Amino acid sequence: MTSSDETSAGAPAPRRQARGQRRIEEILGAAAQVFVRDGYDAATTNAVAKEAGISPGSLYQYFRNKDEIAHGLAERFAAGLAELQAAAFDGVDPLSLTLEELVRRVIDPVVAFNVAHPAFKTLFARTDPPPGLAEATAPLDASIHERAARLVAARAPHLAPDDAQRVSVVATQIVRATMPLVVAASGDERERMAAEARAALVAYLRAATG
Amino acid sequence: MTSSDETSAGAPAPRRQARGQRRIEEILGAAAQVFVRDGYDAATTNAVAKEAGISPGSLYQYFRNKDEIAHGLAERFAAGLAELQAAAFDGVDPLSLTLEELVRRVIDPVVAFNVAHPAFKTLFARTDPPPGLAEATAPLDASIHERAARLVAARAPHLAPDDAQRVSVVATQIVRATMPLVVAASGDERERMAAEARAALVAYLRAATG
DNA sequence: GACAAACACGAGCAATCGCTCGTATTCTCG
DNA sequence: CGAGAATACGAGCGATTGCTCGTGTTTGTC
């Protein structure tokens, strides 16, 4: 789907060839590196193009601006994360697990994903993203929050809808905030930090869902 | 102290007059507004000067660059926060309080401070600040973390130093992450969010220091 | 009142950014 | 093969940014 949503068909949306699809992947990969190296705000489209080994003109044949690159990356991340989560709950009823086990199955893949894709947190783990980035990552945020809300609703059906909403927002925020700490740690320290993140989430959920 | 730390005395550091001190305060106030309106990265020194009603040249007589403005603001915030916390614990032994009461005394003033100074979170509540900003807010971060570490050490003396370190870092991060949610809410919802933030902190600390 | 230091101005420089556009090459498909 | 679409290039435009500098004004001190 990568950047094919045409609201008002200004441009006829070119039919991509295999080469073009490859280029898009290369650009997203390069963008991820640049976002990690320079941060999203300081990242420039020219730097992304250079990192990808192409000219600025070529880049703009696939993405109309920096936010759209972020949008493409966010879509890629959302898909990867969804797949990982699906695998973690493959044929398992979330209700049959202890809270500790549930949290572990949620957090551990997320940790692994963050370690494997350090650019993820430059898009997702921001408390006050600039407007353009917020728009680009909205679908990613939505899909993550929906999964969280579904789990909370399943585990605490007695909660009023807006209470459940608050709980899932806070829980998501706890994960969002602790993930950079886990990723920043290395060696043994990382697993200890991950354990701490899980403990925080378990403790909060236990308290909030009675 | 506002921007008087001269490591290598390149410039003789002018002796400020009353008018200059006033200007510095005006500039910091203007910067706070601009940071809130545009975000730190998008904020420009020219915009700060215009907001303060002075010329760019005048601004640069007090601050050498944007990061130094952030540094000045961070110092101001650190002082205000320290004062608020001191008042909250005025003549009270933290050990004599229940954990709920302790957390309330820490969080409520912080919430009030965040509401009163919306620029605070543009400097502090960031998961991956650009290098310049990180340097500018380092003293602020340090002073906050030191207070957190002291409380954790007092309440959980049996914890090994590096375990205590981890707990205070995670606890601080939880506050950092939930504060924007609280501030963003309005009316009754804000107090409910604040309650949720307190609950998360209490639950985590109980589990981690139990 | 005179002199120096502090304060204030604002046009504009040098650098950078996002992005365009004219042109050349490669692919697809009849 | 030949035509049209997709891909690729990169110099450079218009706009913006952080910051400077020459000049004039106010303040404090003797």
Side-chain angles (χ1 to χ4, degrees):
Chain A
M1 189 143 316
T2 322
S3 84
S4 65
D5 353 14
E6 290 296 330
T7 37
S8 60
R15 215 182 59 77
R16 296 282 171 221
Q17 313 182 328
R19 182 171 42 147
Q21 291 291 355
R22 238 179 296 131
R23 272 275 180 268
I24 288 177
E25 292 305 311
E26 287 169 11
I27 291 169
L28 290 182
Q33 285 187 251
V34 174
F35 288 172
V36 170
R37 195 185 57 215
D38 302 340
Y40 181 77
D41 298 282
T44 72
T45 53
N46 286 358
V48 172
K50 176 180 276 187
E51 180 71 40
I54 63 177
S55 74
S58 297
L59 188 153
Y60 278 88
Q61 232 148 27
Y62 299 100
F63 299 97
R64 276 185 299 208
N65 52 50
K66 188 165 67 162
D67 291 333
E68 219 175 67
I69 299 178
H71 180 78
L73 251 190
E75 268 186 356
R76 201 199 221 184
F77 286 147
L81 212 47
E83 190 175 353
L84 222 56
Q85 287 294 328
F89 287 104
D90 187 34
V92 176
D93 179 10
L95 290 176
S96 71
L97 302 171
T98 63
L99 185 56
E100 278 79 5
E101 184 58 26
L102 179 73
V103 165
R104 178 179 290 274
R105 292 214 186 201
V106 170
I107 295 292
D108 285 1
V110 170
V111 168
F113 191 81
N114 270 275
V115 171
H117 305 281
F120 177 71
K121 72 172 204 298
T122 68
L123 299 184
F124 178 67
R126 298 195 52 156
T127 43
D128 61 339
L133 179 59
E135 198 174 343
T137 58
L140 174 60
D141 282 326
S143 90
I144 287 174
H145 183 263
E146 193 198 325
R147 257 199 306 281
R150 204 177 343 242
L151 280 178
V152 169
R155 300 284 299 201
H158 60 285
L159 243 49
D162 50 345
D163 287 339
Q165 160 84 4
R166 248 193 314 277
V167 170
S168 69
V169 167
V170 171
T172 304
Q173 196 73 353
I174 288 177
V175 177
R176 199 196 299 260
T178 51
M179 222 33 65
L181 296 180
V182 176
V183 175
S186 55
D188 295 350
E189 186 63 15
R190 176 174 294 162
E191 174 48 28
R192 289 199 204 95
M193 260 300 178
E196 217 63 27
R198 288 194 303 264
L201 194 53
V202 166
Y204 169 66
L205 288 176
R206 183 107 59 201
T209 66
Chain B
M1 191 146 314
T2 323
S3 85
S4 65
D5 351 13
E6 292 294 331
T7 37
S8 60
R15 218 183 55 80
R16 297 283 171 219
Q17 314 183 322
R19 182 172 42 147
Q21 290 291 355
R22 237 179 294 131
R23 271 274 179 270
I24 288 177
E25 291 305 310
E26 287 169 12
I27 291 170
L28 290 181
Q33 285 187 252
V34 174
F35 288 172
V36 170
R37 196 185 58 215
D38 302 340
Y40 181 78
D41 298 283
T44 71
T45 53
N46 286 358
V48 172
K50 176 179 275 186
E51 181 70 41
I54 63 176
S55 74
S58 296
L59 188 151
Y60 278 89
Q61 233 147 29
Y62 299 101
F63 299 97
R64 276 185 298 207
N65 52 50
K66 188 164 68 162
D67 291 332
E68 219 175 67
I69 300 178
H71 180 77
L73 251 189
E75 268 185 356
R76 200 201 222 184
F77 285 147
L81 212 46
E83 191 175 354
L84 222 58
Q85 287 294 328
F89 286 105
D90 187 33
V92 177
D93 179 10
L95 288 177
S96 72
L97 302 172
T98 63
L99 185 57
E100 279 79 4
E101 185 58 26
L102 178 74
V103 164
R104 179 180 289 274
R105 293 213 186 202
V106 170
I107 295 292
D108 286 2
V110 170
V111 168
F113 191 82
N114 271 274
V115 171
H117 305 284
F120 177 70
K121 73 171 202 299
T122 68
L123 298 184
F124 178 68
R126 297 195 53 157
T127 43
D128 62 339
L133 179 58
E135 197 175 343
T137 59
L140 174 59
D141 282 327
S143 90
I144 287 175
H145 183 264
E146 192 198 326
R147 260 200 305 281
R150 208 182 332 248
L151 281 177
V152 169
R155 299 284 300 201
H158 61 285
L159 244 49
D162 51 342
D163 288 339
Q165 160 84 4
R166 247 192 315 276
V167 170
S168 68
V169 167
V170 170
T172 304
Q173 196 74 354
I174 288 177
V175 176
R176 197 195 301 258
T178 50
M179 221 35 62
L181 297 178
V182 175
V183 175
S186 54
D188 295 349
E189 186 62 15
R190 176 174 296 164
E191 174 46 29
R192 288 198 205 94
M193 259 302 178
E196 216 63 26
R198 287 194 303 263
L201 194 53
V202 167
Y204 169 65
L205 289 176
R206 183 105 59 202
T209 67

